Amino acid sequence: LSVWSNVQAGPPDAILGITEAFKADKDPRKINLGVGAYRDENGKPYILPSVQKAEEIVLASVPNKEYLPITGLPEFTRNAALLAYGTESTPLKEGAVAVTQSISGTGALRIGGEFLARHYPKSKDIFLPAPTWGNHIPLFRDSGLNVRSYRYFNKETVGLDFAGLKADLEAAPEGAIVLLHACAHNPTGIDPTPEQWAQISDIVKEKKLFPFFDMAYQGFASGSTTKDAFAVRHFVEQGHQVALSQSFAKNMGLYGERVGAFSVTTADAAEKARVDSQLKIIIRPMYSNPPVNGARIANAILSNADLYTQWESEVKGMADRIISMREKLYNSLQKELNTPGEWGHIKSQIGMFSFTGLNPSQTKALAEKAHVYMTHDGRISMAGLNGGNIEYFAQSVDKAVR
Ligand SMILES: Cc1ncc(COP(=O)(O)O)c(CN[C@](O)(C(=O)O)[C@@H](O)C(=O)O)c1O
């Protein structure tokens, strides 16, 4: 009898499993709207020209292959924190932000979960928005935190359930951790307005909650890295101590290079040094030190003014293409096809995804009959749409809802 005879077959990942099903489909009309990965107007993966140039610069320097420090490439982590917190950030100026490189956003969230589970004194409860990125749930549970949720999405209005959000945060136990999507909420594409963020900040302060920001789309949501960092910077200006996970998968297209950072704001440089030492104690037995190539590429962009400017315009280009797809899809459904239902949310939502409101039986029919793949909860990656497939997609949705 094999030692593994008791191993059960687990379910495919709710998001990455969609891509597997898409790959297995041989129909030429197939469309993959599952994984949140940018595609250009021809449906192809996109290597940002600024990233290509940065990679050439890195290669030209013939860098060695030595280990990085446990917390990664120091100039990368310094520049990643600057991108997120901004040049005016007080804790940053005081050298009080502890930052470590991570295995992209997922790795940053996991380091954060482990760090909070060991060192955050007030609670083991982490409140996630309902719905949230599916991977948040097992990730924080595996970190040793108690996963709970706060209302976020209103099905009726297909909008933010702000009253429910406030009520749940006000009812949360004092000192609980609250995970906040900094911009481009996944899967709903619905973000609080600046005024709503200000109210959330007040509740977090009043209830002494601990804000943990997940910023996986900075620059990719609105096209402006400054605008997309508003919530993080507002909370820091309001005096909150925050934790932050950053991903460069989408905004630099560095998906498979796994480039990210985790940071916390501390009281001062001495406390930051103690936090750094505990981050290293978590990371060393986890993966020892991070991959070097992606961090060098990201840093080549963040540390070179011309390349940074070029990169920002390319991120805006990606954001703009997605926004134009939102307009086109809305017009096809609402005006040309007159598809039953309300579709305004496709235009008002922001970032990579649109939460269509299609139910699981409709998403199943779309996959089986129309070869259109999206997550069971009706989330579509807008980046998977382009001039060549958007009409077919709209017609397929129209059929599915009639
Ligand atoms: C809110 C959020 N946070 C963190 C991550 C982690 O990203 P990475 O580890 O690659 O930096 C994602 C990616 N989520 C997806 O875009 C998605 O929801 O399709 C996809 O990349 C994924 O891994 O699921 C995300 O949407």
Side-chain angles (χ1 to χ4, degrees), residues 42-258:
N42 306 311
K44 296 279 177 282
Y46 174 56
I47 298 176
L48 282 71
S50 57
V51 166
Q52 192 138 10
K53 212 180 274 182
E55 188 148 34
E56 284 155 12
I57 291 170
V58 170
L59 284 177
S61 69
V62 195
N64 65 43
K65 298 282 184 193
E66 294 306 296
Y67 287 134
L68 282 178
I70 296 172
T71 49
L73 189 65
E75 50 272 35
F76 162 70
T77 51
R78 192 170 51 247
N79 284 320
L82 203 54
L83 178 72
Y85 295 97
T87 48
E88 302 309 307
S89 164
T90 307
L92 211 49
K93 284 183 195 161
E94 292 167 353
V97 180
V99 207
T100 177
Q101 184 178 329
S102 62
I103 314 281
S104 214
T106 305
L109 291 160
R110 186 60 189 268
I111 291 166
E114 300 279 344
F115 182 76
L116 288 167
R118 293 183 196 199
H119 300 288
Y120 179 64
K122 296 185 190 166
S123 170
K124 294 279 181 248
D125 287 354
I126 184 165
F127 281 77
L128 307 179
T132 192
W133 178 46
N135 207 29
H136 278 150
I137 295 157
L139 186 154
F140 287 119
R141 189 181 50 231
D142 290 352
S143 301
L145 295 173
N146 307 322
V147 171
R148 303 181 62 179
S149 67
Y150 60 90
R151 277 168 284 172
Y152 191 86
F153 178 63
N154 180 328
K155 258 173 87 71
E156 278 62 54
T157 63
V158 197
L160 185 67
D161 178 1
F162 194 50
L165 180 152
K166 287 192 290 186
D168 288 351
L169 294 192
E170 272 157 4
E174 189 169 290
I177 304 158
V178 57
L179 184 98
L180 300 161
H181 294 228
C183 63
H185 182 269
N186 176 0
T188 66
I190 299 158
D191 286 354
T193 62
E195 297 72 38
Q196 290 173 326
W197 273 123
Q199 288 184 54
I200 294 170
S201 168
D202 291 345
I203 296 172
V204 169
K205 195 177 289 183
E206 176 201 319
K207 297 291 299 180
K208 300 186 177 57
L209 304 177
F210 181 80
F212 186 163
F213 282 97
D214 180 358
M215 186 151 71
Y217 299 92
Q218 186 181 4
F220 196 92
S222 71
S224 153
T225 53
T226 306
K227 202 157 172 267
D228 288 353
F230 170 79
V232 173
R233 297 180 186 179
H234 177 74
F235 270 62
V236 173
E237 280 153 24
Q238 289 295 306
H240 294 280
Q241 283 195 276
V242 304
L244 169 69
S245 82
Q246 290 173 265
S247 167
F248 290 88
K250 293 74 180 17
N251 57 11
M252 287 192 180
L254 290 172
Y255 302 93
E257 296 279 3
R258 311 307 292 140

